[in-house]
Amino acid sequence: MTFGARLQHHRKAAGLSQEELSERSGVSVRAISDMERGRARSPQRRTTEALLDALDLDEPAREELRRLARTGRVALPGPVWSLPMYVADLVGRDAELDAIAAKDRGLVVVHGAAGTGKTSLAVRAAHLLEARFPDGQLLIELEGSTPPLQRLLKDLGVAAGHLPEDTNGQIRLYRSLLAGRRLLLVLDGASTEEEVRTLAADLPGCLTIVTSRRRLAGLAGATWIRLGGLTEEAAVELLASIIGAQRVEADPKTARELVRLCGMLPLALRIAGNRLASRPRWPLGHLAEQIEERRLAALTAGDLEVRGAFEVSLAHLPDDAKLVFRRLGLLIGTHVTPDLAAELAGIGVTEAEQALEELTDVSLLDADDLGYSIHGLVRTFANGLIDATDDDAHRRMLARLLETTVTAGVLFGQTGDARRVSPRGRTDVPAARRWLDEHRDLMPEIIEQAQHKGLHDDVARAVIALSHYAAIEPSPIWEHVYRAALASTCQPWQEIVVLTQLGWVLFDVVDRPADALEVLTRAARLAESTGETGHIGWVWLVASAAHSGLGDLEKAERVCREAIEWMREPVDVLYARSVLGVLWQRMNRPDDAVGIHEEVANELRAFACTTYELSALGRTVWWLGLALIQAGRPDDAVSALTEAEKVYERAQMTSWRARALWHRAEAHRAAGRLAESDEDLMKALEGFRASGDGVREIETLRALADNAKSRGDDSACLRHLQDSLAACERWDTDATRKIAAEVRECLSRG
């Protein structure tokens, strides 16, 4: 029974019309009519008392009407509950659940891209907090034909016939029902701040959890929790919970590949898991192949579909945002800046930034330190929207990426004919370093696509500009880069530079000196036949190292001396002289090596300040340290290698700093200081892992095992050897397989 219905009952029992009651009480006829019709559910106290006096009611009737006026309806009989069952296999969200559990009132906004499990998290949190909110837990899906406020009132026990007709009346009734109650409300799928402000249970004792693709940044006092993809470990755990741990344990490598293909996105993982669960005879690799070939089309199971979830996020965005999003399907990598987005879409930078913000608001992008990032599956969805009209944008993007590579790459040093490449833009070293680190592993894809578009000169310029950055960040990927770039060299000098860099990679990075010498011989013949000798000093210098790698030290020395004669820049001459010192070390002439390294280091210290000059100084004092170890002077070696570490740190050469630490550990070991050796090896291990140098990571673990064995710590020795074997299996290359065989033999000997 509502206040209005009971008021009408008493008025008619007294034989009064609305006009007569109005005259007696001083309350307007319209107000009485609104109360009886339910348009005004909770009159003010003075209005209520005036009506009670006019009706001349006894005390029980008066108290009943007062109570109905306060609540707007009969008090609810007990707790209300409309939560769905929670997802039993929610994984990887403990931190988020703890953050929600820390709230006992107020507003929590769980936001993130489609398919990240926002609703599952909110429902699980509501179930876990059931005891804290004894008056009920409600979930309202905000998308639906019936207005959500009416659905809320219905869940709170208000009969349809007792609903106020106007929204303001419904809001007042809703607030009155929440007063004094401890209730948890989940608003699922909010799109605007305004609907949250209208519906939130924002009274003391109540907690509202909102899920949204948007951040809803305008909600004052909210706690925001952003959901992204799961960690790989959690993603594998989710997959195992759906298909059974036995299938995952039987093929863990494919399971990891499968979750990576799903982007660690809970919705995609659930779809993949459901497909596998319904097909128990399928090997995991079969679905992985389907996803690789068909991507989003393969991620459909029943009424679950990844593509549809993304389409909802995109549907209501402005045209500029839709255009930028479609063109992001052309993106190589995962990061985009406003400048690049403007280039892709053919719009102004300001408009592009606004579009990126709008895409971020609906969680199709994430803001980060480099600009904005796009999830792999989201980019796949965008790529599916590309058509022939986007071809020019693709070409512009590739040209921009390659020119940015030139602008960034030349800051790390140029040698020989590589100096013929000049940038057309400007940047600083920190920004260049961040950009190159981000795009290094994408270079083969950038080159392949650019060559397909005929951008051969752009490719050659970019790859040549990268030559010294590649030396700073050595990686097997450079072999793919330089081999591919050979097809784009349009002039002999370009081909000579690229061949020289390829020779360096083959010798110094992948340890194939014979292949390196073959490539360098080709470069030398081309220089001789064309007269393009501006880079020949570097051809001979790398060739001398390759001869050394093949064991022909005398020829290596002759070729190195010839390289020194061909060098034109002072810093290049000094670097080549240091290489000669390295050869003398290998020829068992440590004192001669120490002498030339000290001479070169003294000259370089006087002026080294650019990245290239610091690199040359670091390499020289590093080689000096190795020569001092060989000469039986470990304490002096520690001093030299400490200088090398500091120089490399100043130049931000992470992998080379790790090498200096590795060899300083060797010097400490030679001096009998195993504790200091272990300390340096642990620092080196961190550096090798950060730079992705798998072979040196493994060798560092073996060095730690040797130190442990020298101390008589068999347990630590075994642990380090087992870790090195696990690293071999993780990297799985020809070199690591060879090391793995040695480690297994060592373990078998005990």
Side-chain angles (χ1 to χ4, degrees), residues 197-517:
R197 293 188 188 105
T198 300
L199 300 172
D202 57 358
L203 295 176
C206 295
L207 174 65
T208 303
I209 304 173
V210 179
T211 71
S212 178
R213 291 185 175 93
R214 297 180 178 272
R215 189 171 186 269
L216 303 179
L219 293 172
T223 296
W224 285 273
I225 296 175
R226 182 192 170 278
L227 285 194
L230 298 171
T231 64
E232 183 176 306
E233 180 182 4
V236 171
E237 182 183 349
L238 175 57
L239 182 65
S241 71
I242 300 171
I243 68 173
Q246 300 87 347
R247 290 176 77 179
V248 169
E249 291 168 359
D251 193 357
K253 184 176 181 179
T254 305
R256 289 194 298 272
E257 176 62 21
L258 187 57
V259 302
R260 285 194 289 269
L261 288 170
C262 290
M264 272 74 85
L265 193 70
L267 175 61
L269 289 163
R270 197 164 295 284
I271 291 171
N274 289 352
R275 292 195 68 189
L276 287 168
S278 64
R279 297 163 177 83
R281 294 187 179 182
W282 270 17
L284 273 59
H286 181 68
L287 180 57
E289 290 172 3
Q290 285 194 358
I291 297 175
E292 283 184 323
E293 293 173 3
R294 299 164 51 206
R295 295 311 297 260
L296 295 184
L299 289 173
T300 303
D303 61 351
L304 296 178
E305 183 186 17
V306 172
R307 188 194 307 277
F310 294 150
E311 286 172 344
V312 171
S313 298
L314 188 64
H316 302 296
L317 292 178
D319 289 343
D320 274 357
K322 290 180 179 177
L323 173 61
V324 168
F325 181 76
R326 187 176 84 234
R327 295 278 172 84
L328 290 181
L330 300 169
L331 194 66
I332 299 176
T334 60
H335 287 93
V336 61
T337 62
D339 287 349
L340 182 55
E343 190 82 58
L344 280 168
I347 59 178
V349 174
T350 300
E351 291 79 5
E353 186 164 20
Q354 177 62 32
L356 293 171
E357 283 295 314
E358 287 163 344
L359 292 166
T360 302
D361 283 344
V362 296
S363 299
L364 287 171
L365 297 180
D366 292 316
D368 61 22
D369 293 341
L370 299 173
Y372 301 83
S373 62
I374 185 169
H375 188 279
L377 287 180
V378 177
R379 187 181 61 175
T380 299
F381 170 55
N383 186 260
L385 304 176
I386 293 295
D387 58 34
T389 64
D390 300 309
D391 190 63
D392 286 345
H394 192 191
R395 184 183 178 88
R396 289 197 307 270
M397 179 197 68
L398 292 166
R400 186 182 185 87
L401 289 173
L402 291 168
E403 191 55 41
T404 304
T405 301
V406 173
T407 302
V410 298
L411 295 182
F412 293 88
Q414 296 174 281
T415 53
D417 270 345
R419 294 184 176 91
R420 294 167 71 169
V421 173
S422 300
R424 295 170 185 150
R426 297 181 64 182
T427 186
D428 55 39
V429 172
R433 183 58 181 266
R434 287 194 301 270
W435 197 90
L436 291 174
D437 288 349
E438 173 66 27
H439 289 80
R440 177 184 60 189
D441 293 343
L442 303 174
M443 281 298 155
E445 185 179 356
I446 294 172
I447 290 169
E448 180 183 356
Q449 292 191 23
Q451 288 173 329
H452 183 69
K453 297 294 182 184
L455 298 172
H456 291 293
D457 189 58
D458 300 76
V459 168
R461 280 168 42 79
V463 168
I464 290 170
L466 280 171
S467 58
H468 199 66
Y469 171 79
I472 290 173
E473 293 294 338
S475 165
I477 200 171
W478 298 122
E479 180 180 359
H480 302 291
V481 167
Y482 289 116
R483 284 196 186 280
L486 284 172
S488 291
T489 53
C490 307
Q491 302 175 55
W493 72 267
Q494 292 177 332
E495 185 176 352
I496 292 166
V497 174
V498 174
L499 284 169
T500 305
Q501 285 302 113
L502 177 58
W504 161 74
V505 174
L506 291 170
F507 161 71
D508 198 43
V509 180
V510 298
D511 194 24
R512 285 155 45 199
D515 292 343
L517 201 55

Side-chain angles (χ1 to χ4, degrees), residues 14 31 68-69 89 96 155 212 233 280 303 311 355 379 447 461 477 549 595 638 654 666 699 743:
L68 292 177
D89 51 13
E96 291 84 357
D155 284 348
S212 178
E233 180 182 4
D303 61 351
E311 286 172 344
R379 187 181 61 175
I447 290 169
R461 280 168 42 79
I477 200 171
V638 166
T654 304
E666 182 183 356
E699 291 294 2
V743 173

Side-chain angles (χ1 to χ4, degrees), residues 65 196 319 434 536 627 656 688:
L65 272 178
V196 175
D319 289 343
R434 287 194 301 270
I536 195 66
W656 288 98
F688 291 140

